[in-house]
Amino acid sequence: MATLRDPERGCPWDVEQTFRTIAPHTIEEAYEVADAIENGDMTSLKDELGDLLFQVVFYAQMAREQGGFDFDEIAGHIAEKMVRRHPHVFGDQLIETAQDQTVNWEALKAREREAKAAASGRPPSALDGVIAGLPALTRALKLQKRAARVGFDWTRAEDILDKIEEEIGELRAELDRAKREPERVQDEMGDLIFALVNLARRLEVDPETALRGTNSKFDRRFRQVEGWLAEQGRSPEQATLEEMEELWVRAKRSERRAAE
């Protein structure tokens, strides 16, 4: 990495990069790791983990050039944090179950957030540390989990379903207005999605994983529809919505039969 970043004999692209320009690539690499895991492809996972590790090395080299930190300090910092957050492993604290460890882990993180807030001279919040740059579904889930830990939560999935129906009604009202206001429609749509994430959390379903699965299902079924149309010498543009819907139902039935 030091060679790639060398101003005289390095790669011009690598030399020009900054923390800000590399960040989008890091996010992309993390998603590619998740995709390899989702597909059960261990060969790709090994490759994608290498790409993700390369991102860390890239940041470390840029920081070292600025007189900041290096790779060893990154590794040392996370090692210290893991020791601090596992007193039952590296100390004498007794934690017997995974659930107990989750509670203890969150308590330790909360104390760390409180210390960080105090050091910066601002009041602590249960939502501290839930960064704005997360994917929206993931951030919604984290915000809801944090609020739930301090008692701001529904106790029954049925209550959340009522809220979802309320949000659908508010969205419908915006759509029925004589003059639609895109901002208000967007706002109500956001409220509805947020409520759906809350229901997923209550049902112990990860919304990001659920939506990825649905995306894959849609991709698979639509390609099947395209394939059947191609056998007829046609493209989707040449078919009616009703014809494509009929093939879509056929694709669903075909998958269900194969799964039985």
Side-chain angles (χ1 to χ4, degrees), residues 49-91:
L49 286 171
D51 291 343
L52 187 59
L53 177 60
F54 179 73
Q55 300 294 304
V56 179
V57 175
F58 210 139
Y59 291 122
Q61 176 59 26
M62 289 189 290
R64 190 171 71 87
E65 293 166 0
Q66 297 175 14
F69 52 82
D70 60 16
F71 187 86
D72 287 343
E73 289 177 88
I74 294 172
H77 178 75
I78 189 59
E80 291 172 3
K81 183 187 292 185
M82 290 302 101
V83 170
R84 185 171 67 250
R85 291 185 178 176
H86 292 82
H88 57 297
V89 176
F90 300 100

mmCIF file of all heavy atoms in Angstrom, residues 49-91:
data_model
loop_
_atom_site.group_PDB
_atom_site.id
_atom_site.type_symbol
_atom_site.label_atom_id
_atom_site.label_comp_id
_atom_site.label_asym_id
_atom_site.label_seq_id
_atom_site.Cartn_x
_atom_site.Cartn_y
_atom_site.Cartn_z
ATOM 1 N N LEU A 49 -13.549 -10.679 1.492
ATOM 2 C CA LEU A 49 -12.952 -10.290 2.771
ATOM 3 C C LEU A 49 -11.567 -9.684 2.560
ATOM 4 O O LEU A 49 -11.175 -8.749 3.262
ATOM 5 C CB LEU A 49 -12.861 -11.500 3.707
ATOM 6 C CG LEU A 49 -14.183 -11.959 4.327
ATOM 7 C CD1 LEU A 49 -14.000 -13.288 5.047
ATOM 8 C CD2 LEU A 49 -14.727 -10.906 5.285
ATOM 9 N N GLY A 50 -10.848 -10.196 1.567
ATOM 10 C CA GLY A 50 -9.553 -9.599 1.233
ATOM 11 C C GLY A 50 -9.721 -8.179 0.724
ATOM 12 O O GLY A 50 -8.958 -7.274 1.104
ATOM 13 N N ASP A 51 -10.743 -7.965 -0.115
ATOM 14 C CA ASP A 51 -11.020 -6.620 -0.613
ATOM 15 C C ASP A 51 -11.382 -5.676 0.535
ATOM 16 O O ASP A 51 -10.976 -4.508 0.551
ATOM 17 C CB ASP A 51 -12.172 -6.650 -1.628
ATOM 18 C CG ASP A 51 -11.787 -7.336 -2.922
ATOM 19 O OD1 ASP A 51 -10.571 -7.507 -3.167
ATOM 20 O OD2 ASP A 51 -12.688 -7.696 -3.698
ATOM 21 N N LEU A 52 -12.161 -6.196 1.496
ATOM 22 C CA LEU A 52 -12.555 -5.367 2.633
ATOM 23 C C LEU A 52 -11.352 -5.053 3.520
ATOM 24 O O LEU A 52 -11.194 -3.915 3.994
ATOM 25 C CB LEU A 52 -13.640 -6.080 3.440
ATOM 26 C CG LEU A 52 -14.293 -5.280 4.563
ATOM 27 C CD1 LEU A 52 -14.947 -4.005 4.028
ATOM 28 C CD2 LEU A 52 -15.338 -6.138 5.275
ATOM 29 N N LEU A 53 -10.492 -6.048 3.726
ATOM 30 C CA LEU A 53 -9.277 -5.820 4.504
ATOM 31 C C LEU A 53 -8.382 -4.786 3.825
ATOM 32 O O LEU A 53 -7.764 -3.940 4.485
ATOM 33 C CB LEU A 53 -8.517 -7.138 4.683
ATOM 34 C CG LEU A 53 -7.168 -7.042 5.419
ATOM 35 C CD1 LEU A 53 -7.348 -6.502 6.822
ATOM 36 C CD2 LEU A 53 -6.503 -8.414 5.450
ATOM 37 N N PHE A 54 -8.352 -4.830 2.495
ATOM 38 C CA PHE A 54 -7.555 -3.859 1.746
ATOM 39 C C PHE A 54 -8.015 -2.437 2.036
ATOM 40 O O PHE A 54 -7.207 -1.505 2.087
ATOM 41 C CB PHE A 54 -7.655 -4.155 0.248
ATOM 42 C CG PHE A 54 -6.877 -3.192 -0.612
ATOM 43 C CD1 PHE A 54 -5.499 -3.241 -0.666
ATOM 44 C CD2 PHE A 54 -7.539 -2.229 -1.363
ATOM 45 C CE1 PHE A 54 -4.787 -2.349 -1.455
ATOM 46 C CE2 PHE A 54 -6.831 -1.333 -2.145
ATOM 47 C CZ PHE A 54 -5.452 -1.399 -2.191
ATOM 48 N N GLN A 55 -9.330 -2.254 2.226
ATOM 49 C CA GLN A 55 -9.846 -0.935 2.560
ATOM 50 C C GLN A 55 -9.246 -0.436 3.869
ATOM 51 O O GLN A 55 -8.847 0.726 3.995
ATOM 52 C CB GLN A 55 -11.372 -0.976 2.681
ATOM 53 C CG GLN A 55 -12.097 -1.408 1.427
ATOM 54 C CD GLN A 55 -11.936 -0.399 0.295
ATOM 55 O OE1 GLN A 55 -12.254 0.761 0.445
ATOM 56 N NE2 GLN A 55 -11.426 -0.863 -0.829
ATOM 57 N N VAL A 56 -9.164 -1.319 4.867
ATOM 58 C CA VAL A 56 -8.590 -0.945 6.166
ATOM 59 C C VAL A 56 -7.116 -0.567 6.000
ATOM 60 O O VAL A 56 -6.645 0.424 6.572
ATOM 61 C CB VAL A 56 -8.740 -2.104 7.168
ATOM 62 C CG1 VAL A 56 -8.126 -1.732 8.517
ATOM 63 C CG2 VAL A 56 -10.215 -2.472 7.355
ATOM 64 N N VAL A 57 -6.399 -1.357 5.205
ATOM 65 C CA VAL A 57 -4.984 -1.067 4.962
ATOM 66 C C VAL A 57 -4.838 0.290 4.265
ATOM 67 O O VAL A 57 -3.927 1.072 4.576
ATOM 68 C CB VAL A 57 -4.350 -2.188 4.107
ATOM 69 C CG1 VAL A 57 -2.913 -1.837 3.740
ATOM 70 C CG2 VAL A 57 -4.393 -3.505 4.867
ATOM 71 N N PHE A 58 -5.756 0.579 3.336
ATOM 72 C CA PHE A 58 -5.727 1.848 2.607
ATOM 73 C C PHE A 58 -5.869 3.026 3.586
ATOM 74 O O PHE A 58 -5.098 3.985 3.570
ATOM 75 C CB PHE A 58 -6.873 1.873 1.594
ATOM 76 C CG PHE A 58 -6.586 2.687 0.353
ATOM 77 C CD1 PHE A 58 -6.973 2.211 -0.900
ATOM 78 C CD2 PHE A 58 -5.956 3.926 0.421
ATOM 79 C CE1 PHE A 58 -6.723 2.943 -2.047
ATOM 80 C CE2 PHE A 58 -5.713 4.665 -0.719
ATOM 81 C CZ PHE A 58 -6.090 4.177 -1.957
ATOM 82 N N TYR A 59 -6.872 2.936 4.469
ATOM 83 C CA TYR A 59 -7.078 4.002 5.451
ATOM 84 C C TYR A 59 -5.863 4.141 6.367
ATOM 85 O O TYR A 59 -5.446 5.261 6.706
ATOM 86 C CB TYR A 59 -8.316 3.705 6.311
ATOM 87 C CG TYR A 59 -9.620 3.810 5.570
ATOM 88 C CD1 TYR A 59 -10.481 2.716 5.504
ATOM 89 C CD2 TYR A 59 -10.018 4.989 4.955
ATOM 90 C CE1 TYR A 59 -11.694 2.794 4.836
ATOM 91 C CE2 TYR A 59 -11.230 5.077 4.282
ATOM 92 C CZ TYR A 59 -12.065 3.975 4.228
ATOM 93 O OH TYR A 59 -13.253 4.058 3.566
ATOM 94 N N ALA A 60 -5.320 3.010 6.786
ATOM 95 C CA ALA A 60 -4.180 3.044 7.692
ATOM 96 C C ALA A 60 -2.981 3.743 7.055
ATOM 97 O O ALA A 60 -2.295 4.544 7.702
ATOM 98 C CB ALA A 60 -3.792 1.618 8.101
ATOM 99 N N GLN A 61 -2.742 3.473 5.773
ATOM 100 C CA GLN A 61 -1.622 4.097 5.083
ATOM 101 C C GLN A 61 -1.834 5.604 4.942
ATOM 102 O O GLN A 61 -0.919 6.396 5.175
ATOM 103 C CB GLN A 61 -1.427 3.468 3.702
ATOM 104 C CG GLN A 61 -0.340 4.113 2.848
ATOM 105 C CD GLN A 61 1.031 4.070 3.498
ATOM 106 O OE1 GLN A 61 1.309 3.199 4.320
ATOM 107 N NE2 GLN A 61 1.903 5.004 3.124
ATOM 108 N N MET A 62 -3.040 6.017 4.594
ATOM 109 C CA MET A 62 -3.309 7.444 4.459
ATOM 110 C C MET A 62 -3.152 8.155 5.801
ATOM 111 O O MET A 62 -2.615 9.273 5.874
ATOM 112 C CB MET A 62 -4.715 7.668 3.892
ATOM 113 C CG MET A 62 -4.854 7.279 2.430
ATOM 114 S SD MET A 62 -6.439 7.780 1.675
ATOM 115 C CE MET A 62 -7.575 6.663 2.513
ATOM 116 N N ALA A 63 -3.606 7.507 6.884
ATOM 117 C CA ALA A 63 -3.465 8.110 8.213
ATOM 118 C C ALA A 63 -1.996 8.193 8.621
ATOM 119 O O ALA A 63 -1.567 9.187 9.218
ATOM 120 C CB ALA A 63 -4.254 7.293 9.237
ATOM 121 N N ARG A 64 -1.235 7.155 8.299
ATOM 122 C CA ARG A 64 0.202 7.154 8.634
ATOM 123 C C ARG A 64 0.925 8.277 7.918
ATOM 124 O O ARG A 64 1.806 8.937 8.487
ATOM 125 C CB ARG A 64 0.815 5.796 8.273
ATOM 126 C CG ARG A 64 2.239 5.601 8.791
ATOM 127 C CD ARG A 64 2.701 4.177 8.584
ATOM 128 N NE ARG A 64 2.948 3.893 7.185
ATOM 129 C CZ ARG A 64 4.123 4.128 6.573
ATOM 130 N NH1 ARG A 64 5.126 4.662 7.233
ATOM 131 N NH2 ARG A 64 4.270 3.829 5.301
ATOM 132 N N GLU A 65 0.545 8.518 6.662
ATOM 133 C CA GLU A 65 1.167 9.599 5.892
ATOM 134 C C GLU A 65 0.903 10.965 6.521
ATOM 135 O O GLU A 65 1.716 11.882 6.399
ATOM 136 C CB GLU A 65 0.626 9.587 4.461
ATOM 137 C CG GLU A 65 1.042 8.377 3.652
ATOM 138 C CD GLU A 65 0.230 8.218 2.366
ATOM 139 O OE1 GLU A 65 -0.658 9.051 2.098
ATOM 140 O OE2 GLU A 65 0.487 7.237 1.635
ATOM 141 N N GLN A 66 -0.243 11.079 7.220
ATOM 142 C CA GLN A 66 -0.604 12.348 7.851
ATOM 143 C C GLN A 66 -0.105 12.442 9.293
ATOM 144 O O GLN A 66 -0.432 13.393 10.004
ATOM 145 C CB GLN A 66 -2.127 12.516 7.827
ATOM 146 C CG GLN A 66 -2.713 12.597 6.429
ATOM 147 C CD GLN A 66 -4.235 12.653 6.430
ATOM 148 O OE1 GLN A 66 -4.849 12.880 7.472
ATOM 149 N NE2 GLN A 66 -4.834 12.451 5.258
ATOM 150 N N GLY A 67 0.662 11.442 9.719
ATOM 151 C CA GLY A 67 1.175 11.454 11.083
ATOM 152 C C GLY A 67 0.131 11.052 12.108
ATOM 153 O O GLY A 67 0.253 11.379 13.299
ATOM 154 N N GLY A 68 -0.912 10.325 11.656
ATOM 155 C CA GLY A 68 -1.979 9.911 12.557
ATOM 156 C C GLY A 68 -1.706 8.557 13.171
ATOM 157 O O GLY A 68 -0.859 8.412 14.052
ATOM 158 N N PHE A 69 -2.412 7.537 12.679
ATOM 159 C CA PHE A 69 -2.260 6.183 13.210
ATOM 160 C C PHE A 69 -1.835 5.245 12.094
ATOM 161 O O PHE A 69 -1.817 5.635 10.917
ATOM 162 C CB PHE A 69 -3.583 5.704 13.828
ATOM 163 C CG PHE A 69 -4.760 5.856 12.898
ATOM 164 C CD1 PHE A 69 -5.028 4.902 11.923
ATOM 165 C CD2 PHE A 69 -5.601 6.959 12.999
ATOM 166 C CE1 PHE A 69 -6.109 5.038 11.061
ATOM 167 C CE2 PHE A 69 -6.695 7.100 12.142
ATOM 168 C CZ PHE A 69 -6.940 6.144 11.178
ATOM 169 N N ASP A 70 -1.493 4.005 12.468
ATOM 170 C CA ASP A 70 -1.138 3.018 11.452
ATOM 171 C C ASP A 70 -1.930 1.742 11.688
ATOM 172 O O ASP A 70 -2.784 1.664 12.580
ATOM 173 C CB ASP A 70 0.374 2.745 11.445
ATOM 174 C CG ASP A 70 0.879 2.208 12.781
ATOM 175 O OD1 ASP A 70 0.043 1.765 13.610
ATOM 176 O OD2 ASP A 70 2.101 2.222 13.010
ATOM 177 N N PHE A 71 -1.654 0.718 10.889
ATOM 178 C CA PHE A 71 -2.425 -0.522 10.953
ATOM 179 C C PHE A 71 -2.297 -1.192 12.318
ATOM 180 O O PHE A 71 -3.276 -1.707 12.863
ATOM 181 C CB PHE A 71 -1.970 -1.480 9.846
ATOM 182 C CG PHE A 71 -2.824 -2.712 9.735
ATOM 183 C CD1 PHE A 71 -3.973 -2.723 8.975
ATOM 184 C CD2 PHE A 71 -2.468 -3.880 10.404
ATOM 185 C CE1 PHE A 71 -4.772 -3.861 8.877
ATOM 186 C CE2 PHE A 71 -3.256 -5.019 10.315
ATOM 187 C CZ PHE A 71 -4.407 -4.999 9.549
ATOM 188 N N ASP A 72 -1.092 -1.195 12.871
ATOM 189 C CA ASP A 72 -0.884 -1.826 14.176
ATOM 190 C C ASP A 72 -1.730 -1.155 15.255
ATOM 191 O O ASP A 72 -2.271 -1.819 16.143
ATOM 192 C CB ASP A 72 0.593 -1.783 14.572
ATOM 193 C CG ASP A 72 1.430 -2.767 13.770
ATOM 194 O OD1 ASP A 72 0.841 -3.685 13.171
ATOM 195 O OD2 ASP A 72 2.662 -2.613 13.752
ATOM 196 N N GLU A 73 -1.865 0.160 15.176
ATOM 197 C CA GLU A 73 -2.669 0.872 16.166
ATOM 198 C C GLU A 73 -4.152 0.546 16.007
ATOM 199 O O GLU A 73 -4.890 0.461 17.001
ATOM 200 C CB GLU A 73 -2.436 2.375 16.050
ATOM 201 C CG GLU A 73 -1.057 2.824 16.520
ATOM 202 C CD GLU A 73 -0.850 4.314 16.326
ATOM 203 O OE1 GLU A 73 -1.200 5.095 17.227
ATOM 204 O OE2 GLU A 73 -0.336 4.688 15.247
ATOM 205 N N ILE A 74 -4.599 0.370 14.760
ATOM 206 C CA ILE A 74 -5.991 -0.026 14.535
ATOM 207 C C ILE A 74 -6.248 -1.385 15.177
ATOM 208 O O ILE A 74 -7.224 -1.578 15.914
ATOM 209 C CB ILE A 74 -6.295 -0.095 13.027
ATOM 210 C CG1 ILE A 74 -6.212 1.292 12.392
ATOM 211 C CG2 ILE A 74 -7.678 -0.703 12.779
ATOM 212 C CD1 ILE A 74 -6.316 1.281 10.880
ATOM 213 N N ALA A 75 -5.357 -2.344 14.903
ATOM 214 C CA ALA A 75 -5.511 -3.696 15.455
ATOM 215 C C ALA A 75 -5.410 -3.676 16.977
ATOM 216 O O ALA A 75 -6.169 -4.367 17.676
ATOM 217 C CB ALA A 75 -4.455 -4.626 14.855
ATOM 218 N N GLY A 76 -4.487 -2.881 17.490
ATOM 219 C CA GLY A 76 -4.316 -2.794 18.936
ATOM 220 C C GLY A 76 -5.537 -2.205 19.624
ATOM 221 O O GLY A 76 -5.961 -2.671 20.692
ATOM 222 N N HIS A 77 -6.133 -1.203 18.985
ATOM 223 C CA HIS A 77 -7.308 -0.551 19.567
ATOM 224 C C HIS A 77 -8.487 -1.507 19.651
ATOM 225 O O HIS A 77 -9.167 -1.578 20.687
ATOM 226 C CB HIS A 77 -7.689 0.668 18.734
ATOM 227 C CG HIS A 77 -8.908 1.378 19.220
ATOM 228 N ND1 HIS A 77 -8.910 2.181 20.332
ATOM 229 C CD2 HIS A 77 -10.181 1.390 18.745
ATOM 230 C CE1 HIS A 77 -10.133 2.660 20.539
ATOM 231 N NE2 HIS A 77 -10.922 2.199 19.589
ATOM 232 N N ILE A 78 -8.734 -2.274 18.591
ATOM 233 C CA ILE A 78 -9.873 -3.189 18.615
ATOM 234 C C ILE A 78 -9.612 -4.337 19.577
ATOM 235 O O ILE A 78 -10.546 -4.839 20.237
ATOM 236 C CB ILE A 78 -10.219 -3.723 17.189
ATOM 237 C CG1 ILE A 78 -11.549 -4.487 17.206
ATOM 238 C CG2 ILE A 78 -9.103 -4.599 16.639
ATOM 239 C CD1 ILE A 78 -12.725 -3.684 17.664
ATOM 240 N N ALA A 79 -8.346 -4.755 19.710
ATOM 241 C CA ALA A 79 -8.020 -5.813 20.677
ATOM 242 C C ALA A 79 -8.306 -5.340 22.099
ATOM 243 O O ALA A 79 -8.913 -6.062 22.907
ATOM 244 C CB ALA A 79 -6.555 -6.225 20.538
ATOM 245 N N GLU A 80 -7.916 -4.107 22.406
ATOM 246 C CA GLU A 80 -8.182 -3.541 23.736
ATOM 247 C C GLU A 80 -9.686 -3.436 23.993
ATOM 248 O O GLU A 80 -10.165 -3.714 25.094
ATOM 249 C CB GLU A 80 -7.533 -2.163 23.852
ATOM 250 C CG GLU A 80 -6.013 -2.200 23.893
ATOM 251 C CD GLU A 80 -5.411 -0.811 23.804
ATOM 252 O OE1 GLU A 80 -6.181 0.175 23.774
ATOM 253 O OE2 GLU A 80 -4.172 -0.722 23.761
ATOM 254 N N LYS A 81 -10.429 -3.030 22.976
ATOM 255 C CA LYS A 81 -11.879 -2.891 23.130
ATOM 256 C C LYS A 81 -12.526 -4.244 23.388
ATOM 257 O O LYS A 81 -13.429 -4.376 24.225
ATOM 258 C CB LYS A 81 -12.485 -2.246 21.884
ATOM 259 C CG LYS A 81 -13.985 -2.003 21.986
ATOM 260 C CD LYS A 81 -14.581 -1.515 20.681
ATOM 261 C CE LYS A 81 -14.119 -0.123 20.326
ATOM 262 N NZ LYS A 81 -14.812 0.391 19.111
ATOM 263 N N MET A 82 -12.085 -5.291 22.665
ATOM 264 C CA MET A 82 -12.660 -6.612 22.861
ATOM 265 C C MET A 82 -12.367 -7.142 24.260
ATOM 266 O O MET A 82 -13.214 -7.787 24.893
ATOM 267 C CB MET A 82 -12.129 -7.593 21.805
ATOM 268 C CG MET A 82 -12.643 -7.333 20.393
ATOM 269 S SD MET A 82 -14.460 -7.392 20.256
ATOM 270 C CE MET A 82 -14.850 -5.639 20.252
ATOM 271 N N VAL A 83 -11.180 -6.878 24.769
ATOM 272 C CA VAL A 83 -10.842 -7.294 26.132
ATOM 273 C C VAL A 83 -11.728 -6.556 27.130
ATOM 274 O O VAL A 83 -12.264 -7.145 28.074
ATOM 275 C CB VAL A 83 -9.349 -7.014 26.431
ATOM 276 C CG1 VAL A 83 -9.048 -7.202 27.920
ATOM 277 C CG2 VAL A 83 -8.453 -7.936 25.604
ATOM 278 N N ARG A 84 -11.899 -5.250 26.910
ATOM 279 C CA ARG A 84 -12.704 -4.426 27.817
ATOM 280 C C ARG A 84 -14.165 -4.862 27.819
ATOM 281 O O ARG A 84 -14.820 -4.839 28.863
ATOM 282 C CB ARG A 84 -12.582 -2.964 27.397
ATOM 283 C CG ARG A 84 -13.261 -1.980 28.321
ATOM 284 C CD ARG A 84 -12.908 -0.552 27.970
ATOM 285 N NE ARG A 84 -13.435 -0.129 26.678
ATOM 286 C CZ ARG A 84 -12.689 0.102 25.583
ATOM 287 N NH1 ARG A 84 -11.370 -0.051 25.649
ATOM 288 N NH2 ARG A 84 -13.244 0.497 24.454
ATOM 289 N N ARG A 85 -14.674 -5.268 26.663
ATOM 290 C CA ARG A 85 -16.083 -5.629 26.558
ATOM 291 C C ARG A 85 -16.351 -7.111 26.832
ATOM 292 O O ARG A 85 -17.490 -7.552 26.762
ATOM 293 C CB ARG A 85 -16.612 -5.255 25.174
ATOM 294 C CG ARG A 85 -16.695 -3.746 24.957
ATOM 295 C CD ARG A 85 -17.332 -3.413 23.636
ATOM 296 N NE ARG A 85 -17.455 -1.961 23.456
ATOM 297 C CZ ARG A 85 -17.909 -1.391 22.337
ATOM 298 N NH1 ARG A 85 -18.293 -2.141 21.324
ATOM 299 N NH2 ARG A 85 -17.991 -0.070 22.242
ATOM 300 N N HIS A 86 -15.306 -7.867 27.163
ATOM 301 C CA HIS A 86 -15.487 -9.286 27.509
ATOM 302 C C HIS A 86 -14.838 -9.577 28.860
ATOM 303 O O HIS A 86 -13.931 -10.421 28.960
ATOM 304 C CB HIS A 86 -14.895 -10.194 26.435
ATOM 305 C CG HIS A 86 -15.615 -10.157 25.133
ATOM 306 N ND1 HIS A 86 -15.394 -9.167 24.200
ATOM 307 C CD2 HIS A 86 -16.568 -10.978 24.599
ATOM 308 C CE1 HIS A 86 -16.171 -9.384 23.143
ATOM 309 N NE2 HIS A 86 -16.889 -10.460 23.364
ATOM 310 N N PRO A 87 -15.294 -8.901 29.919
ATOM 311 C CA PRO A 87 -14.693 -9.129 31.230
ATOM 312 C C PRO A 87 -14.911 -10.546 31.751
ATOM 313 O O PRO A 87 -14.174 -11.018 32.613
ATOM 314 C CB PRO A 87 -15.406 -8.095 32.123
ATOM 315 C CG PRO A 87 -16.705 -7.843 31.432
ATOM 316 C CD PRO A 87 -16.389 -7.920 29.969
ATOM 317 N N HIS A 88 -15.898 -11.244 31.201
ATOM 318 C CA HIS A 88 -16.158 -12.617 31.615
ATOM 319 C C HIS A 88 -15.172 -13.595 30.983
ATOM 320 O O HIS A 88 -15.066 -14.747 31.421
ATOM 321 C CB HIS A 88 -17.580 -13.022 31.232
ATOM 322 C CG HIS A 88 -17.864 -12.881 29.766
ATOM 323 N ND1 HIS A 88 -17.823 -11.666 29.115
ATOM 324 C CD2 HIS A 88 -18.180 -13.813 28.819
ATOM 325 C CE1 HIS A 88 -18.116 -11.850 27.837
ATOM 326 N NE2 HIS A 88 -18.336 -13.132 27.636
ATOM 327 N N VAL A 89 -14.462 -13.143 29.959
ATOM 328 C CA VAL A 89 -13.465 -13.979 29.293
ATOM 329 C C VAL A 89 -12.054 -13.595 29.754
ATOM 330 O O VAL A 89 -11.238 -14.461 30.102
ATOM 331 C CB VAL A 89 -13.562 -13.854 27.760
ATOM 332 C CG1 VAL A 89 -12.443 -14.664 27.085
ATOM 333 C CG2 VAL A 89 -14.921 -14.327 27.272
ATOM 334 N N PHE A 90 -11.776 -12.291 29.776
ATOM 335 C CA PHE A 90 -10.441 -11.815 30.114
ATOM 336 C C PHE A 90 -10.327 -11.324 31.566
ATOM 337 O O PHE A 90 -9.255 -10.909 31.995
ATOM 338 C CB PHE A 90 -10.037 -10.685 29.168
ATOM 339 C CG PHE A 90 -10.019 -11.104 27.723
ATOM 340 C CD1 PHE A 90 -11.078 -10.806 26.884
ATOM 341 C CD2 PHE A 90 -8.953 -11.824 27.211
ATOM 342 C CE1 PHE A 90 -11.073 -11.195 25.551
ATOM 343 C CE2 PHE A 90 -8.930 -12.225 25.889
ATOM 344 C CZ PHE A 90 -9.994 -11.915 25.046
ATOM 345 N N GLY A 91 -11.447 -11.366 32.298
ATOM 346 C CA GLY A 91 -11.441 -10.964 33.696
ATOM 347 C C GLY A 91 -12.149 -11.992 34.544
ATOM 348 O O GLY A 91 -12.255 -13.162 34.159
#
